């Protein structure tokens, strides 16, 4: 199975700041990488797919980059509503696998 | 508006069985692959499997971790998705989500339910 590692489990930042969340695959997955946001009491939300393509409705302050094994989700000019958990998911091969998540707390 | 609503969760004894349901609305159900994903508290989500759409014959694929114990099915007349779970173990305790595949990419899920909690304990 492809292991997805999100090395940072917790991150705190202030509104207006920029943050980057990393995700590393145990083997090359090309750009078959999606990012999701999960907020308490809400359904998972797809933010980005194909490594860098914004899902319809995702604010432009979100961006994704990377290919191969190393990926980054960047949020520019943090808004208070950006708090939550962020997960990466590879879909290069089955079984589909997820990272363990990075919790973003807004200071 | 796409809506996915899981039901059927609760407490079950080890070795027991449980069936989860997911009511789908707001889209043409037969056009989409449908997924089950679970997430133990504080852990990473785990893909359990999916069932393909009408164009692909409603066939299924599973994570080897649950293959043979879990079965995914769908009732396309009722827009319902099901997860039959047998021989349950303590490690199956998790929140279970149904999700719809994104129209723009295979194996990516763009709509998720709120989840159903399953606890396997004596």
């Amino acid at each position: 199975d492809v292991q997805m590692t999100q090395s940072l489990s917790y991150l705190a930042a202030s509104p207006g700041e920029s943050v980057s969340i990393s995700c590393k695959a145990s083997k090359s997955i090309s750009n078959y990488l999606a990012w999701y946001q999960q907020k308490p009491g809400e359904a998972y939300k797809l933010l980005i797919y194909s490594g860098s393509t914004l899902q319809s409705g995702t604010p432009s302050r979100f961006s994704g980059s990377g290919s191969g094994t190393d990926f980054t989700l960047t949020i520019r000019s943090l808004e208070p509503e950006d708090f939550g958990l962020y997960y990466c998911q590879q879909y290069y091969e089955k079984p589909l696998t997820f990272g363990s998540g990075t919790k973003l707390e807004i200071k | 508006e796409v809506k996915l609503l899981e039901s059927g969760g609760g407490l079950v004894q080890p070795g027991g069985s449980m069936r989860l349901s997911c009511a789908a609305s707001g889209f043409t159900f037969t056009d989409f692959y449908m997924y089950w994903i679970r997430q133990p508290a504080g852990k990473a989500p785990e893909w359990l499997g999916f069932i393909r759409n009408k164009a692909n014959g409603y066939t299924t694929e599973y994570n080897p971790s649950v293959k043979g114990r879990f079965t995914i099915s769908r009732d396309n007349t009722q827009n319902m998705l099901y997860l039959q779970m047998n021989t349950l173990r303590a490690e199956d305790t998790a929140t279970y989500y149904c999700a719809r595949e994104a129209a723009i990419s295979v194996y990516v899920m763009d709509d998720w339910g709120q989840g159903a909690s399953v606890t396997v304990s004596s």
Side-chain angles (χ1 to χ4, degrees):
Chain A
D1 299 2
V2 180
Q3 305 301 316
M4 304 301 294
T5 301
Q6 292 180 245
S7 55
L8 210 55
S9 58
Y10 173 83
L11 180 60
S14 300
E17 292 183 342
S18 295
V19 296
S20 292
I21 297 171
S22 66
C23 174
K24 187 175 182 67
S26 60
K27 62 181 277 187
S28 177
I29 58 169
S30 184
N31 66 337
Y32 293 97
L33 193 283
W35 288 98
Y36 299 88
Q37 179 193 59
Q38 185 192 31
K39 297 172 73 171
E42 298 184 16
Y44 273 76
K45 181 181 179 183
L46 172 66
L47 299 173
I48 287 170
Y49 61 95
S50 297
S52 61
T53 304
L54 264 60
Q55 168 70 345
S56 175
T58 300
S60 58
R61 62 181 181 274
F62 288 84
S63 64
S65 63
S67 66
T69 61
D70 294 289
F71 299 85
T72 302
L73 172 69
T74 300
I75 313 172
R76 292 180 295 103
S77 299
L78 273 171
E79 299 283 345
E81 62 265 29
D82 296 334
F83 76 93
L85 277 156
Y86 290 84
Y87 295 93
C88 58
Q89 177 227 330
Q90 68 81 20
Y91 52 102
Y92 177 76
E93 65 182 38
K94 294 184 283 294
L96 312 178
T97 49
F98 292 80
S100 55
T102 297
K103 184 176 183 180
L104 175 60
E105 183 178 282
I106 306 298
K107 288 181 182 176
Chain B
E1 180 192 6
V2 173
K3 289 186 178 179
L4 299 169
L5 183 62
E6 302 92 344
S7 62
L11 177 65
V12 59
Q13 291 192 336
S17 297
M18 177 175 279
R19 188 178 83 157
L20 300 180
S21 302
C22 172
S25 61
F27 61 101
T28 304
F29 187 62
T30 53
D31 284 351
F32 289 85
Y33 287 33
M34 296 297 297
Y35 290 68
W36 285 101
I37 303 104
R38 70 181 176 184
Q39 186 171 23
K43 296 189 176 181
E46 179 184 24
W47 168 72
L48 299 178
F50 61 70
I51 186 165
R52 293 182 173 88
N53 58 9
K54 180 179 181 180
N56 290 281
Y58 303 128
T59 53
T60 54
E61 288 203 42
Y62 298 94
N63 191 322
S65 66
V66 300
K67 191 173 183 180
R69 290 196 304 129
F70 289 12
T71 302
I72 297 173
S73 61
R74 59 194 297 166
D75 180 341
N76 299 301
T77 64
Q78 299 291 323
N79 288 358
M80 295 292 294
L81 176 71
Y82 301 103
L83 178 67
Q84 176 68 40
M85 303 183 289
N86 297 329
T87 319
L88 284 162
R89 309 163 180 161
E91 53 265 37
D92 295 317
T93 295
T95 299
Y96 286 72
Y97 299 93
C98 65
R100 188 192 77 164
E101 184 170 273
I104 39 72
S105 179
V106 293
Y107 308 142
V108 172
M109 290 70 77
D110 68 348
D111 281 286
W112 297 57
Q114 299 274 10
S117 179
V118 172
T119 301
V120 183
S121 175
S122 55

